[in-house]
Structures are given as C-alpha cells and as structure tokens.
Amino acid sequence: MFSNFMVCLNAVLPIFILIFIGGCVRRFKLLSQEEVRRVNRFVFLVFFGPLMFENIYGSSHTGHINMSAVVYAFVFVLAEIAVITPAVMAIEKDNKKRGAMIQAMYRSNYIIMGLPVAMNIFGKGNVAMTTVMISVIVPLYNVMAVMILETFRGGHVSPISVIKKLARNPIIIGAVFGALATAADIKLPMAVDTVLSDMGSACTPIALIILGASFSFERIRGYAKNLTIVVVTRLVIVPAVGLTIAALIGFRGIDFISLLAMMTAPSAVSSYTMADAMDSDGALAGAAVIFTSGFSLMTMFLWLFIFKNLGMF
C-alpha cells in the first residue's frame, strides 16, 4: 500500500511544485499578466513541437501502440460531448456560458498535466503510446471546440478553416514529423537530436510554471454554480465513467495510464484562449482552467492511487 502511495505521490508532486513556483512568480510580480500570456503563447509555438517529436522519435517502445485504446479514447470524447451538451443546455440558458462550460468539461489539459504523469510513472522514453494518443485526441479536441463555440455564438463552421488551424498547430506538426522520422528510421545528427531533446525537456516545467502564474481566484465571482458543475464533471464524473469502462474492457499498463492522463487532467489552458477569441464567456473559461487545475492535483492523485491498488498499472 505504501509503495503504491509513493508511486502516485511522485507522479503528481512535481506538477504541484512547479505550479506552486508559478504562483510565487505571480505573487512577487516577477511577470505581468500580459507577459504571462506572451510566454504561454511562446511555449506553445516553440516548445510543444519538439516535445511531441521527441516523445515519438526518442521512445524505446515505439512498437507498443495499442490502437484499440486510441480508438476507445476517440469514441469516449465524442460520447462525452454527446451527453454533456444537452445536459448543459438544460442547466444554463446563456449561449456564451454554454459553449465555455461544454468545452471546459470535455477538453482536458492532456499535454501539460497528463503527459507528465505518464512520464513520471513510466519514464521519458517509454510514453510513445501516450504521445500517439495525444496526437489523435488533441486535434479532435480542437475540431469539436471550434464547432461547439461557433454554434453557440450563432456562426457557421468552415471545414477549410478548421483544417488550416490544425495544419499550423505545432503539436500536430511535431507528432507528424516524429512519426515520419521513426517510420523512415531517420537518424538525426547528434547536435540536432540534443537540441530537440533539450527543448522537449524544457517544455513541461515552463508550461506548468506559467500555468501557476496565471492563477487568479478573483475570477470566481458570479460563476460559483457553473464552476462547481464543471469541476465535478471534469475531475470526478468523467474519470469515474471512462476509467471504469476502460478497466472492464481490459486496458492495463501504459494503455490505461494514457487514458487516465487524458480523463483526469483539468480543463485545457487553450480552452480559455479559444473561448475568448470566439466570443464565448472567456472569464468563465479562464476560471474553469484555474479551478480544475487546482483541484486536479488532489483528484489525479486519488484516481492514480485507486487504480494502482486495483492493479491497473
């Protein structure tokens, strides 16, 4: 029992410490909120591509890709949206709040919060399965977010614009090039490999620190009911349903952890940016990111501890 406790604690404690450091950055005003936003965009554009590339190209277990787990994750996200959308429409009458809530409830911060959990448990070079799942699920998150937010602001969804956005996404670019390099058995020059590895290693800690620096409890005003629904759904109901089904299907080891990382992670940071840009309720979306991120440090540990003791990984 104690060894399982330590495995789970070591999986989430580094994440908590980095977010706490980010909170100190905000507390001592080492960065302004405008600078935090700029650094966040910089990390996304510059570091996420190498992170995805390295986790596919540099993996020692690239042969273990269980596509049935990837398909399950894909179908589960669609099922989430199909159930959450009418439920939110029945609870909330404001279309701007509807779009922000639905996106926050189904779209997890898989890369920044989920991937580190898998890496902390299995090691940096052994999470190709998680990275492949990310490369499939993140585009799905983006496509569905555009459709949902556009629909609730009364707009028209353009397939061409969605494809263009995906083609420019550094996460997708890094994953595609990593898969191509692995499939073609391309050996990168040592200098290039070292640079990409260093950039990939820098991505997660910087992103988590910036996430901590963006925390602002003032955003809860007027959103207590909405945030309670989002937090409980994102961190409790979704993992309880999704992981129970995954366990019953028979997913284990890195397959199960890849699913757990996706389902227990808080709302995606990018959901705030997209909601704000697409005339949704940006303040609610931002508050959802902050509060799910805060509570997830406890709930992710509990889900890990429960399923570790059940022998799922």
Side-chain angles (χ1 to χ4, degrees):
M1 181 74 74
F2 180 74
S3 62
N4 290 345
F5 175 85
M6 291 307 298
V7 167
C8 299
L9 182 65
N10 289 330
V12 299
L13 189 57
I15 297 172
F16 172 80
I17 293 172
L18 288 166
I19 291 178
F20 175 77
I21 292 171
C24 292
V25 169
R26 179 185 178 89
R27 173 68 179 81
F28 294 107
K29 299 180 180 179
L30 300 180
L31 292 174
S32 68
Q33 285 307 291
E34 177 59 30
E35 288 170 331
V36 167
R37 283 192 289 269
R38 292 177 65 183
V39 173
N40 188 49
R41 178 170 173 77
F42 166 74
V43 172
F44 176 74
L45 293 174
V46 177
F47 287 100
F48 274 115
L51 174 69
M52 294 296 291
F53 181 92
E54 274 295 304
N55 275 289
I56 293 180
Y57 175 80
S59 176
S60 60
H61 284 221
T62 50
H64 177 74
I65 305 296
N66 186 354
M67 290 309 297
S68 63
V70 178
V71 171
Y72 171 69
F74 190 93
V75 173
F76 183 79
V77 170
L78 295 178
E80 273 186 279
I81 296 169
V83 173
I84 288 171
T85 300
V88 170
M89 290 178 69
I91 296 168
E92 177 58 60
K93 303 306 178 184
D94 186 325
N95 275 340
K96 289 188 176 184
K97 288 185 174 68
R98 283 173 169 176
M101 287 179 68
I102 293 168
Q103 186 188 202
M105 290 158 80
Y106 85 83
R107 188 178 183 184
S108 75
N109 206 358
Y110 199 173
I111 301 177
I112 296 177
M113 295 286 280
L115 183 58
V117 169
M119 292 172 65
N120 289 342
I121 293 174
F122 287 96
K124 180 183 175 183
N126 303 311
V127 291
M129 175 64 202
T130 311
T131 309
V132 169
M133 191 174 289
I134 287 172
S135 68
V136 173
I137 296 303
V138 169
L140 177 63
Y141 281 165
N142 290 332
V143 169
M144 297 308 298
V146 170
M147 293 176 65
I148 290 166
L149 295 175
E150 197 67 52
T151 298
F152 280 107
R153 76 170 179 178
H156 174 69
V157 180
S158 169
I160 300 299
S161 66
V162 173
I163 292 172
K164 286 181 178 179
K165 287 180 180 178
L166 291 177
R168 293 195 298 264
N169 191 312
I171 296 167
I172 308 304
I173 295 171
V176 169
F177 276 97
L180 291 175
T182 301
D185 196 26
I186 296 174
K187 302 298 181 185
L188 295 178
M190 183 178 295
V192 175
D193 192 27
T194 299
V195 169
L196 290 173
S197 179
D198 288 345
M199 291 180 71
S201 298
C203 178
T204 299
I206 296 175
L208 288 170
I209 289 171
I210 292 302
L211 177 60
S214 69
F215 272 22
S216 173
F217 289 102
E218 296 175 359
R219 292 184 177 181
I220 193 174
R221 295 175 183 172
Y223 292 122
K225 175 187 172 183
N226 305 81
L227 288 174
T228 300
I229 295 170
V230 169
V231 169
V232 172
T233 302
R234 176 66 251 159
L235 302 180
V236 179
I237 297 175
V238 167
V241 174
L243 294 176
T244 298
I245 295 172
L248 293 174
I249 290 174
F251 296 122
R252 298 291 185 272
I254 187 62
D255 299 336
F256 189 84
I257 283 296
S258 298
L259 292 166
L260 184 146
M262 178 190 85
M263 295 177 185
T264 64
S267 302
V269 175
S270 55
S271 64
Y272 160 69
T273 305
M274 187 172 288
D276 198 46
M278 295 186 67
D279 197 29
S280 184
D281 194 320
L284 174 57
V289 171
I290 290 168
F291 279 87
T292 56
S293 297
F295 284 111
S296 71
L297 295 171
M298 176 179 64
T299 57
M300 288 179 81
F301 170 80
L302 292 174
W303 286 120
L304 282 166
F305 189 64
I306 290 169
F307 285 107
K308 177 63 175 175
N309 282 293
L310 291 174
M312 297 298 108
F313 61 96

